[in-house]
Amino acid sequence: EIEPELIKMVGLLNMKECIPALKERLLACPEEEYRIQERAYRYALARLGDKEQRQYILDNFMDIDLFYREDFIYFKDDEMIWKYIETNYFSDTPAYSEFSTPIPTSLATINNIYPYVKNVPKDVEYPSVDTFEKLSDWSKIFYQWLMTNKENIKFDYDGEKDWSFWK
């Protein structure tokens, strides 16, 4: 069985000659298996330009537990960031429930997209605060700024900011 990261590498390397084999392998994925293999095939195909697979990802894999921060770098697709925000920001389910204090999904969503937002004004940059409550307050301000400026927001997939409240 091929490692999922190797399958995704086919998409990164733009190996379009592999599209028929990727489609064949996707169809052969056992339904009872966890979606890791399936997701890798769909990711590679979407990266290679398969619109059906890209739409499938937008419709089914945008949940915060399925779509990882690194996936934004893989796709370099602004629409995926906006769909990710739409899917997760107002979710009632806490993100990363394995922590002793559940992290609000709104805060985790902003944590995952913030590093890719280009030209963040000083007044909405990540603050030096020490509680989830203060970070949550900031994430609401940042979200409002995003929505207000949605048409002008630029994303930078190559120069990820060195920021995370998990550091």
Side-chain angles (χ1 to χ4, degrees):
E1 194 160 305
I2 303 170
E3 288 294 318
E5 294 306 315
L6 186 57
I7 296 166
K8 287 169 53 177
M9 187 61 68
V10 170
L12 280 176
L13 294 174
N14 203 29
M15 299 172 67
K16 293 191 183 277
E17 66 274 10
C18 295
I19 291 174
L22 291 170
K23 286 183 176 185
E24 184 179 312
R25 298 293 300 249
L26 173 61
L27 292 173
C29 280
E31 287 184 32
E32 67 276 355
E33 278 187 19
Y34 182 67
R35 292 183 158 185
I36 293 174
Q37 289 292 114
E38 173 195 354
R39 183 170 50 194
Y41 288 116
R42 290 185 189 280
Y43 273 37
L45 286 164
R47 175 74 193 224
L48 291 169
D50 186 316
K51 290 179 179 164
E52 181 181 335
Q53 296 309 320
R54 181 182 174 279
Q55 190 60 50
Y56 188 92
I57 291 165
L58 286 168
D59 293 343
N60 297 287
F61 290 139
M62 288 287 105
D63 186 86
I64 202 162
D65 292 329
L66 296 174
F67 199 86
Y68 308 120
R69 184 179 4 194
E70 311 78 63
D71 294 341
F72 294 126
I73 296 170
Y74 183 79
F75 288 108
K76 298 182 179 189
D77 184 330
D78 295 1
E79 186 180 354
M80 286 190 173
I81 287 185
W82 291 116
K83 180 67 174 182
Y84 182 85
I85 294 168
E86 176 188 317
T87 301
N88 296 297
Y89 187 80
F90 290 107
S91 173
D92 292 332
T93 307
Y96 314 116
S97 55
E98 67 270 12
F99 292 112
S100 58
T101 303
I103 297 167
T105 305
S106 58
L107 176 56
T109 300
I110 295 303
N111 177 69
N112 290 342
I113 63 107
Y114 178 84
Y116 304 107
V117 180
K118 199 173 186 177
N119 301 326
V120 175
K122 290 273 185 210
D123 60 331
V124 292
E125 282 183 350
Y126 171 71
S128 296
V129 295
D130 56 358
T131 67
F132 281 133
E133 183 178 295
K134 290 177 184 175
L135 285 172
S136 289
D137 291 343
W138 166 78
S139 75
K140 291 173 188 166
I141 292 166
F142 189 80
Y143 174 80
Q144 288 297 15
W145 173 79
L146 276 175
M147 295 301 108
T148 301
N149 297 286
K150 188 172 182 176
E151 298 302 318
N152 299 316
I153 298 292
K154 303 274 188 250
F155 296 103
D156 180 6
Y157 301 102
D158 298 321
E160 182 178 353
K161 293 176 191 68
D162 185 23
W163 175 84
S164 174
F165 57 79
W166 277 282
K167 290 185 179 179

